[in-house]
Amino acid sequence: MGTYKDQGIVLRTWKLGETDRILSLLTAGHGKVRAVAKGVRRPGSRFGGRLEPYSLVDLELYEGRNLDGVNQAELVAPHANVRTDFVRSGCAAVMVEVVDSVAQEGQRDPRLYLLLKSALDALEAQPPDPTVFLDAFLIRAAASQGFPMRSETCVACGEPGPHPYLSVVRGGALCVQDATPGTKAVQPEVAALLSLLASDRWSDLGAVTVDAPGRSVAASYVRAFAEHHLDRTLRGYDMVPR
């Protein structure tokens, strides 16, 4: 059986037998990988504490028939602050829920990998409102899978915005002329926030000042957009305090 080296983020873990653990990993070079870490639950394991959810690790793995195996694991970024805070860990749980459902085993997806890595780094920095980073991640994850949200122009006619109407199904903003009956208008600050969430400007998210009602409207749209276009129900989203 061959061995290979890669860097990966631990998405989920499951107990196996008395001392082993199954890992779901998103790797930089091999996409999603499911692997067994033997003996990691045994007292004194040499790398058990390095394979916690949300940790970024350098790995040496060997190819297996059904599951690969972990030979070595070295911590790059433990993201301990994410795991020890209820809100941040809730946000991270939804992020890995999405990644684990859309990533394909053995298919490299650099955009999704870098997106998750950046999002976890942002949560590790202890932002004042972690949920903003969760919503940004969801919009950007949809874009990474081929479903970008268009906020700067009308999705129907292409007229430059900003526009007051939003459509989940059509994928973004609609001008007054193209808004269908029943489509609700949003406040300008909500439209501006959604544009920021869809951008790649992680550093600007820490300074969001939209009031609670506006954040709630934006969050509802983000969730509906992600669930519709990724064809997934976000089971952990309601568990995140807001």
Side-chain angles (χ1 to χ4, degrees), residues 98-180:
V98 169
V99 169
D100 202 25
S101 67
V102 302
Q104 300 297 310
E105 293 192 31
Q107 295 186 18
R108 184 171 176 263
D109 191 340
R111 189 175 179 186
L112 186 62
Y113 173 80
L114 292 174
L115 176 63
L116 180 59
K117 180 177 180 295
S118 297
L120 291 173
D121 288 343
L123 291 179
E124 177 70 10
Q126 304 182 59
D129 184 1
T131 64
V132 176
F133 292 85
L134 169 59
D135 291 339
F137 174 86
L138 293 175
I139 287 292
R140 299 172 193 186
S144 76
Q145 302 306 300
F147 305 103
M149 186 192 75
R150 290 178 57 185
S151 57
E152 304 295 335
T153 60
C154 174
V155 296
C157 67
E159 180 183 350
H163 298 296
Y165 295 93
L166 294 173
S167 171
V168 168
V169 175
R170 301 182 74 174
L174 289 168
C175 65
V176 174
Q177 289 75 21
D178 288 308
T180 54

Side-chain angles (χ1 to χ4, degrees), residues 186-202:
V186 298
Q187 297 297 319
E189 58 266 27
V190 174
L193 174 57
L194 288 169
S195 293
L196 176 60
L197 294 177
S199 74
D200 58 359
R201 304 193 303 274
W202 289 104

Side-chain angles (χ1 to χ4, degrees), residues 3-81:
T3 62
Y4 61 96
K5 293 183 178 181
D6 208 336
Q7 189 173 90
I9 299 167
V10 181
L11 302 177
R12 300 176 185 271
T13 67
W14 298 268
K15 292 179 181 179
L16 178 66
E18 295 294 325
T19 61
D20 303 340
R21 184 175 290 159
I22 297 175
L23 311 172
S24 178
L25 304 156
L26 183 67
T27 67
H30 296 80
K32 188 167 72 173
V33 171
R34 297 194 185 275
V36 175
K38 293 186 176 180
V40 295
R41 294 165 48 220
R42 185 182 296 124
S45 169
R46 57 195 173 93
F47 55 68
R50 306 172 192 174
L51 296 172
E52 296 294 329
Y54 320 138
S55 293
L56 176 67
V57 286
D58 283 332
L59 297 158
E60 181 181 276
L61 302 107
Y62 61 87
E63 298 174 348
R65 181 174 298 175
N66 298 313
L67 297 170
D68 290 354
V70 179
N71 276 336
Q72 296 180 9
E74 297 295 334
L75 268 177
V76 177
H79 295 130
N81 286 332

Side-chain angles (χ1 to χ4, degrees), residues 178-224:
D178 288 308
T180 54
T183 304
K184 295 183 179 180
V186 298
Q187 297 297 319
E189 58 266 27
V190 174
L193 174 57
L194 288 169
S195 293
L196 176 60
L197 294 177
S199 74
D200 58 359
R201 304 193 303 274
W202 289 104
S203 59
D204 293 346
L205 294 174
V208 168
T209 58
V210 178
D211 60 17
R215 279 284 294 116
S216 180
V217 171
S220 295
Y221 179 80
V222 167
R223 179 182 187 174

